[in-house]
Amino acid sequence: MLRTTVLLFGLILSACSPLKVDTSQQSLGQDSRIQWIVVHYTAADSERSMQLLTKTGVSSHYLIDENKVYRLVDENRRAWHAGDSQWQGRTWLNSSTIGIEVVHPGYFETESGKQWQPWSEAQIDTLLLLLQDIRYRHGLGIDSVIGHADIAPQRKTDPGPEFPWFRLAQAGLIRWPLHADIQQQQPLFERELPKPVWFQQQLKTLGYAVEQTGELDEQTRNVLAVLQMKYRPQLFDGEPDAQTAAILWSLVNQLSP
């Protein structure tokens, strides 16, 4: 009881006499806590999206609607958007990422399977501006914009195969497989397709969480499907093939100094 009274008395004194901190000197040894920006779709309409992101345990820093951008969480605070996630060896990425949710249905289930929905040009234009602004302010590099599926490929698919990743590449926000590399490498891989362990190694080098089992197992197929959805959305069956190998080769080769 005495301890509690002393603590309360100390808090009252602190409130009356706030601590003064001199911020005139700044260290050179610092950078932003933010390493990546994660793009999501909400899989809901505007009203439901706002409710989910403000009234539940799920949150994101930004929500892009058709005509407006909302900042729901300050960038210096952690938003709960990534969940169980991993990228480039880092786990539980809420602490090191900025989450952007875009109001978008994702897909509709039909008798013939998932029907992925197109994206609004206005929303993509807004997203590009927001991404460029965040990257500039936090000093982030070209590999800093990723999708929710990239960091959680075993359970997530957003922003999906209709998301225009190539638009982001054209804006200098992400790398893209080089056409010359594909032309050069695909015929070579058609003659001899690499073994599953090679695909696993390349995926891991890019940042994906994939166990190096040496087998073409379900977890490897899921990660391959996410990669294909991003860079070859016309076919994302998760099967290794020569074109996918060439895409991987080009992306990894661009990482080399």
Side-chain angles (χ1 to χ4, degrees):
M1 182 68 179
L2 177 61
R3 176 183 171 85
T4 303
T5 304
V6 170
L7 286 173
L8 287 172
F9 183 67
L11 289 172
I12 292 170
L13 284 178
S14 297
C16 296
S17 304
L19 176 66
K20 295 179 181 177
V21 178
D22 187 340
T23 59
S24 62
Q25 302 297 316
Q26 294 290 304
S27 173
L28 293 175
Q30 61 174 296
D31 60 11
S32 174
R33 292 174 182 267
I34 302 304
Q35 293 185 280
W36 301 286
I37 310 165
V38 183
V39 179
H40 309 248
Y41 60 55
T42 63
D45 61 21
S46 299
E47 183 178 357
R48 180 61 176 157
S49 296
M50 184 63 77
Q51 181 184 31
L52 287 169
L53 294 170
T54 60
K55 307 299 182 184
T56 70
V58 179
S59 58
S60 66
H61 294 89
Y62 294 95
L63 174 65
I64 299 179
D65 205 337
E66 276 294 335
N67 303 307
K68 194 171 184 178
V69 180
Y70 298 90
R71 187 173 70 185
L72 307 178
V73 177
D74 194 89
E75 288 182 11
N76 64 7
R77 295 183 64 81
R78 179 169 50 185
W80 299 96
H81 65 98
D84 186 1
S85 52
Q86 183 172 334
W87 187 251
Q88 294 182 358
R90 293 286 298 271
T91 58
W92 296 98
L93 299 175
N94 286 324
S95 297
S96 55
T97 59
I98 287 177
I100 301 176
E101 291 272 5
V102 186
V103 175
H104 185 271
Y107 60 85
F108 298 123
E109 290 285 3
T110 69
E111 292 182 357
S112 57
K114 291 183 175 70
Q115 294 295 315
W116 296 89
Q117 300 304 297
W119 287 76
S120 158
E121 286 292 325
Q123 284 181 311
I124 297 302
D125 289 342
T126 299
L127 176 63
L128 291 175
L129 290 174
L130 180 57
L131 289 171
Q132 289 164 337
D133 177 61
I134 295 171
R135 267 193 60 193
Y136 174 78
R137 288 187 289 101
H138 289 273
L140 302 177
I142 193 171
D143 297 311
S144 58
V145 180
I146 48 183
H148 198 187
D150 291 319
I151 64 174
Q154 305 304 324
R155 62 188 185 87
K156 294 294 180 179
T157 56
D158 58 313
E162 289 294 319
F163 184 77
W165 284 109
F166 186 58
R167 284 277 308 277
L168 274 65
Q170 289 176 312
L173 290 164
I174 65 169
R175 299 179 196 269
W176 199 257
L178 301 177
H179 181 66
D181 287 346
I182 305 299
Q183 285 190 314
Q184 171 188 303
Q185 294 299 131
Q186 186 169 339
L188 301 178
F189 289 130
E190 284 171 350
R191 279 181 239 153
E192 184 176 358
L193 190 66
K195 296 183 181 301
V197 67
W198 180 90
F199 284 92
Q200 292 170 342
Q201 289 167 347
Q202 306 309 301
L203 289 165
K204 183 178 180 180
T205 299
L206 288 181
Y208 290 97
V210 56
E211 293 183 37
Q212 307 293 290
T213 63
E215 303 292 332
L216 186 59
D217 46 25
E218 182 181 3
Q219 59 105 22
T220 304
R221 285 192 173 93
N222 288 342
V223 181
L224 280 172
V226 167
L227 177 96
Q228 293 164 341
M229 194 178 292
K230 189 172 187 176
Y231 298 105
R232 192 193 66 184
Q234 65 272 21
L235 178 62
F236 50 96
D237 57 4
E239 293 297 321
D241 54 42
Q243 188 179 43
T244 302
I247 288 169
L248 273 168
W249 188 93
S250 180
L251 291 170
V252 171
N253 192 53
Q254 291 179 54
L255 300 178
S256 303

